[in-house]
Structure formats: structure tokens, C-alpha cells
Amino acid sequence: MNNHSLIIAIIAALLATSCGQKTAPADKPFTFARVADAQKLDPAAADDSESVKVLNNICEGLVRFKSGTTQIEPCLAETWNLSSDARTCIIALREGVKFHDGTPLNAAAVAWNFNRQMDASAPGHLPNANSANGSTFYNDIETVRVLDAQRMEFRLKKPNAALLPNLATPSAYLISPRAFADYGEGLSRHPVGTGPFKLREWLPNERIVLETNPDYWGQKPKSDRVVFKVVPNSSARFIQLQAGQVHAMDGLDPNDLASVRADRNMKLVEVPGINLAFLAFNCRKPPMDRLEFRQAVALAIQKPPFIESVYRGAAVAANSVLPLALRGPNANLEDWPCDIERARNLIAQLQIVLKPVTVSTNDAFGLPITITTNVIERIELPTLALHVMTTPRPYLPNPMRAAELIKADLESIGLKIQLVHQNPAAHLAAVRNGEHALALHGCIGRNGDPGSFLGIIDPEVGRSATGINISFLEDYQLAAALNDGREQLDPEKRARAYLRASALAHERLPIIPLAYAHDIVVLRQEVRDFVLQPTLELRLSPVWLK
């Protein structure tokens, strides 16, 4: 080869290399590493975060949250008209939209989706498919009526100021009616929505692969494929991210925060979250049914070391059921102080009981008599089961460490605690059935509305056994305040009702708020246009790799 040919060859090679650095191959998938697999890819049944992450990209609702906010914008519905009493809403659908299987989106398909969750006798209803996030919302809907091919009417049993935010949550996502006819109860393994991606492959406990929906009505995805990769161990996820085997991860061990900040190949996306980690009491069981016991536990918990050890500073101590982003301007409450001596005294008082004793003797005349009196007796409180899930969650990134700390705090005031750690599905089943005495649990604000978030303490929700309220405290005043907030259309009056509910919860302690965690996702530097949504909706359509 002569010099001229050699120079041309070298230039061509450099150009090829340069182009390769600027643009990833078209078929290179964006890979997101997560702690666990999805459970049920059916909006009516999904009650775990991992299922919701996938559904965020396959399915859509009538409305959605504007990216980066909790403001409502059109999605599958182009327009809506809400009556002044917030009990009737007329919705007009977007024209020309089809589900992934070619089924047209029309009013009949929308009505089918809602009726299957509201009516046990409706086609498509699955007896055990009751989304914990959506059950209360669906209980408020009286009818969904088809007006014509592209319009329907929602009629509510009572006013609900959160109607539109609820319609933007995953439990209100739409699926193809034909998909149920094709798969029946197997639908949760074969989701068919209208979203920017559709299911390509699902290898349980290994990966879920989505591919672009070529007929998507909106802006086309920037990645041809998206892979949700299951990597249960946080350290293993982080190592794979460092090695470039995955492009993003959540569930970061807080101990790795410093390493992420120091690595030029990483981007840390961290924002205050709309979430709450809490300790729940099963108020149907003694001694958790006694307010004095719940007060003692509140006084025993040391929150500053809890925040530092569990979150490494990526959280703030919680002093209210409502996260900071959902509070009104006057909703700050003075937190329960840590007072070990006072807590021990309350527990000691609970251990003192009056036991009736009957004594047979003779009176002054020698006649037999029976005297009943009370004697003071000290009883031992039973060993209490503290339930915790083993899998990290956005509100609790290190659940086992959290449980050990709470256990130590409670044992310091004389209680006996047994840890019960289970995977997420087993944990949810146990606490829904009331098997716990205490439980470390949490909540994520999926719709940015205080009323929906406060379902975790709502007595009405506790009676429905949906898994949101696991404290089961029956309190008339608390229930009335929450109901007033849901039905109140005036924003200031609504805020006052929720402030009253928060104050009652702070006083009566169905749960002890522990922490508001920061939402965290770690990306490689080549990832572009990723937005961490305040509702933790995982939108991957705009994401691409440089």
C-alpha cells in the first residue's frame, strides 16, 4: 500500500471511530437495573413498584402528569368537562389511537376498563385483581356511561376533588379488551396498552424487554428497545453500572452515595420525594390498641441516628403523615421527642393490672363470708412481631438496617421484639391480613394529592383490606376529617380539613412517621433526557444514549 492509500485508510478509520463515539448503535438497548421483577402487568392488579415501572411505558391513562410536575395534562383524553360539584365529568377521547394489538381506543373500551374494576360481574373482572392504589378511587365511581363512540361520562357517588389526579395514576391505565379475550387471567403476563413501548420478552426474575410501538400516536421513543434487568443485590447493580453493563439503576445503597458523587462516569439524580417511611401499629391487637403503648414507642425512637444510618443523609426526619410537598403552609407539627425514661414509665404502667382475688373468711360473729378485692400484679408483655420486607424501596433503601435500629430502640424500653422479614409479596399479604404487631412500611404519592396519600391512615380504607392502611385504627373524627377533605372543592377549606386529619393522626398515632426519603436514580454519563418524576413514574420514551 502506498503512502497516499495508507493516509486515506487511517482517516477513514478515525472517522468511523469518531462517529461511533458520538452515536450509539441504533439497536443498542437502554438497560435499567432494578432490585426485583414485576409481579403483575395488569393495571387492575399491579400493587408493587416494579410492575408499575414497566406499565408506565406500556400503558397510558386518560390524563397524565406534565413531565416533572403533578400538573394534569391531556393524554388519551383530549378534553374534559368537570361539573361544578365535581360529581360528573364528560371526557372526549383522542381520535385515531389504537392499542398494540390494533384494537381501536373508543368509549366502549374505556368503559370496559373501568367497569372491570368496579363491578365483580363485569367481563374482564379478576376476583383477586384489586389494585391497592386504585380501590378507594373506584369505590367512589357510580357509573361510567358511553355517550357516543369517543365520549363518556363519569358519575361519582360523592364529590371528589382528586378525580383528575386519580385518572393519571397507574390503576387507571387502559388495556385492550381484546387482550383479555385472548389471554384471560394470563393478561397480567401479556400487557397490551397504547403506550410508546410494547412487550417483546419477559424472562421471569431475569429481564423484561420492551420495543418501540411503531404506531404510537405521540412522540416516538428515542430508544428502539428498553431492558428492565433484575439485579437483586445493590452492590452488584452498582458494579454493573460502573462497568457499563447497565445504564441506570435505582435502589442505591446509601453507603455508595459518596462513590457515585466522586465518579465522573456517573450522574446522581436526587430530589426530595413524595414518600413516607413509617412504623405501623396493628391497632386491632393488644397492646397496640392502647394509646399509651403507641406513645411509648414514639418516645423511644431515635430519629437522627436512624436517618444517618439508613439513608446516609439522603432523607429528612418525618414529623407528619404528609410529606413536605403535600402540606399546606400551616401544616408543621412538633415531632414527638425522644424520651426513653418517659417511655419506660408508660410501659411500666401498662404492665400493672388489678387482679380480683376472692377470700373466704368469717365475720365478727363467726359466720362464713366471701370478700373480693383487687391486688396489683405486674404482667409481662408478649413478644411483638415486627414485620419488614427484605427488598429496598424508595422510601426505605436499607430495610433490614432500619428494622434492627427500631428493634434496638424498642428493646431499650423493655419490649421484646421478633423480626419477621419477608419478600415484598409475602410481606404485603401478611400485613394486609393483620398478622403483624408492628410493621415497617411506606407510601409513595402516585398522584400528588394529599387525600390519596392519607389513605394510609383512613379508617374506611382500613376496613377495605386493600393493603394501604395496615394500622386499622377505627377513629370517627379522623375518618370525618379525611372525608371532608376529599369532598371539599374549595382549596383553602380542603387544606384545613387535611391539616385537621394530620393533627389527629399525630395525636392518636396509628403510625409513627419516620422519614421522607430523597428519590434517587443513578445514571451513566451517556444517558440523556432522563427526568425523575415526582410521582416516581418511570418514563423512558424520551431517554437516549449519546
Side-chain angles (χ1 to χ4, degrees):
M1 180 182 292
N2 58 37
N3 289 340
H4 181 71
S5 299
L6 180 61
I7 291 171
I8 291 175
I10 292 172
I11 293 173
L14 289 172
L15 286 173
T17 303
S18 174
C19 291
Q21 289 175 340
K22 289 182 179 179
T23 307
D27 62 346
K28 185 178 181 181
F30 172 79
T31 303
F32 189 97
R34 56 192 187 145
V35 67
D37 199 4
Q39 299 297 312
K40 303 170 185 175
L41 295 183
D42 180 350
D47 57 7
D48 67 288
S49 297
E50 302 308 326
S51 296
V52 169
K53 289 173 189 173
V54 180
L55 287 171
N56 290 155
N57 297 279
I58 293 176
C59 299
E60 298 172 305
L62 295 170
V63 295
R64 65 187 172 198
F65 299 111
K66 186 177 180 180
S67 184
T69 77
T70 55
Q71 300 173 13
I72 296 298
E73 69 176 10
C75 188
L76 297 180
E78 279 193 318
T79 62
W80 55 86
N81 184 13
L82 188 63
S83 64
S84 58
D85 64 358
R87 289 190 60 191
T88 302
C89 186
I90 307 296
I91 287 180
L93 295 175
R94 190 177 298 277
E95 297 276 356
V97 177
K98 292 183 179 181
F99 291 96
H100 299 157
D101 60 6
T103 302
L105 174 73
N106 55 31
V110 174
W112 178 89
N113 271 271
F114 283 88
N115 286 326
R116 70 185 288 251
Q117 297 205 52
M118 295 161 43
D119 184 356
S121 64
H125 180 80
L126 301 178
N128 298 316
N130 295 312
S131 164
N133 293 319
S135 58
T136 304
F137 166 48
Y138 285 107
N139 288 340
D140 284 347
I141 299 177
E142 185 171 78
T143 58
V144 178
R145 189 165 64 96
V146 174
L147 299 180
D148 56 39
Q150 296 299 114
R151 293 189 310 136
M152 78 277 306
E153 175 195 78
F154 284 80
R155 180 69 179 169
L156 303 185
K157 299 172 185 176
K158 54 186 178 182
N160 188 334
L163 171 62
L164 289 174
N166 283 335
L167 287 174
T169 60
S171 60
Y173 285 170
L174 305 179
I175 60 169
S176 167
R178 195 175 93 190
F180 181 78
D182 291 341
Y183 300 110
E185 294 193 14
L187 176 65
S188 62
R189 308 292 299 182
H190 301 87
V192 180
T194 61
F197 292 99
K198 57 183 181 179
L199 182 66
R200 172 173 175 168
E201 178 185 49
W202 187 352
L203 296 179
N205 299 314
E206 184 176 338
R207 67 177 181 267
I208 290 176
V209 181
L210 307 184
E211 63 184 0
T212 297
N213 171 15
D215 301 318
Y216 185 53
W217 61 269
Q219 185 174 3
K220 301 297 187 291
K222 294 182 180 178
S223 297
D224 291 336
R225 283 182 294 149
V226 165
V227 178
F228 291 90
K229 185 177 182 180
V230 178
V231 186
N233 182 271
S234 176
S235 295
R237 285 197 304 281
F238 189 44
I239 290 171
Q240 290 189 22
L241 188 70
Q242 289 176 312
Q245 296 172 342
V246 301
H247 303 106
M249 65 168 281
D250 60 5
L252 180 75
D253 186 331
N255 292 308
D256 290 327
L257 279 168
S259 297
V260 173
R261 293 187 175 107
D263 193 331
R264 292 183 177 180
N265 294 316
M266 304 286 182
K267 290 190 288 190
L268 179 67
V269 185
E270 179 180 5
V271 297
I274 306 178
N275 62 59
L276 172 69
F278 59 86
L279 178 67
F281 299 96
N282 185 345
C283 296
R284 291 174 178 168
K285 292 181 177 180
M288 283 67 63
D289 60 340
R290 297 284 298 275
L291 178 59
E292 300 90 337
F293 176 85
R294 304 197 296 273
Q295 290 173 335
V297 171
L299 292 165
I301 294 177
Q302 303 181 64
K303 290 185 182 178
F306 181 88
I307 296 295
E308 175 55 33
S309 183
V310 176
Y311 300 90
R312 294 301 183 201
V316 294
N319 62 349
S320 168
V321 174
L322 281 179
L324 299 172
L326 300 183
R327 298 187 196 178
N330 301 312
N332 291 324
L333 298 168
E334 185 176 349
D335 202 3
W336 285 82
C338 182
D339 191 332
I340 302 298
E341 191 61 33
R342 185 180 164 197
R344 287 173 178 163
N345 289 337
L346 285 170
I347 294 298
Q349 292 172 26
L350 287 172
Q351 292 179 293
I352 297 174
V353 297
L354 296 178
K355 183 178 180 180
V357 175
T358 301
V359 178
S360 297
T361 185
N362 295 324
D363 64 10
F365 302 101
L367 298 175
I369 59 172
T370 300
I371 300 174
T372 300
T373 186
N374 290 322
V375 297
I376 295 177
E377 185 174 288
R378 184 180 182 277
I379 63 169
E380 290 292 328
L381 295 179
T383 299
L384 303 175
L386 171 57
H387 285 239
V388 58
M389 69 175 68
T390 54
T391 303
R393 283 291 179 257
Y395 49 77
L396 201 61
N398 195 338
M400 294 307 299
R401 178 59 179 157
E404 291 288 352
L405 290 170
I406 296 297
K407 180 177 185 287
D409 285 345
L410 300 190
E411 288 179 341
S412 74
I413 61 172
L415 299 177
K416 291 177 287 188
I417 304 297
Q418 176 188 6
L419 294 184
V420 179
H421 37 82
Q422 298 170 299
N423 64 49
H427 173 81
L428 283 174
V431 296
R432 285 176 178 176
N433 292 331
E435 296 173 18
H436 61 294
L438 306 159
L440 271 172
H441 209 60
C443 183
I444 298 170
R446 295 289 183 190
N447 71 348
D449 179 73
S452 298
F453 200 94
L454 288 169
I456 60 178
I457 57 166
D458 191 341
E460 182 178 336
V461 175
R463 288 189 292 269
S464 69
T466 63
I468 300 177
N469 180 350
I470 61 170
S471 62
F472 311 118
L473 178 67
E474 292 287 349
D475 188 294
Y476 171 77
Q477 289 182 312
L478 182 57
L482 291 169
N483 190 61
D484 186 27
R486 276 191 300 270
E487 296 188 16
Q488 184 56 251
L489 302 183
D490 182 278
E492 292 185 5
K493 292 180 180 178
R494 192 164 185 248
R496 285 198 295 270
Y498 287 144
L499 176 60
R500 186 166 72 253
S502 300
L504 287 168
H506 186 73
E507 173 190 326
R508 294 169 191 182
L509 291 171
I511 67 172
I512 297 176
L514 297 174
Y516 310 123
H518 295 174
D519 291 336
I520 292 175
V521 170
V522 187
L523 311 170
R524 289 192 59 80
Q525 281 291 351
E526 61 264 31
V527 177
R528 295 290 185 269
D529 293 343
F530 178 92
V531 177
L532 185 55
Q533 304 296 332
T535 60
L536 283 190
E537 181 183 350
L538 190 63
R539 296 186 187 179
L540 299 182
S541 180
V543 176
W544 58 287
L545 301 173
K546 182 176 179 180

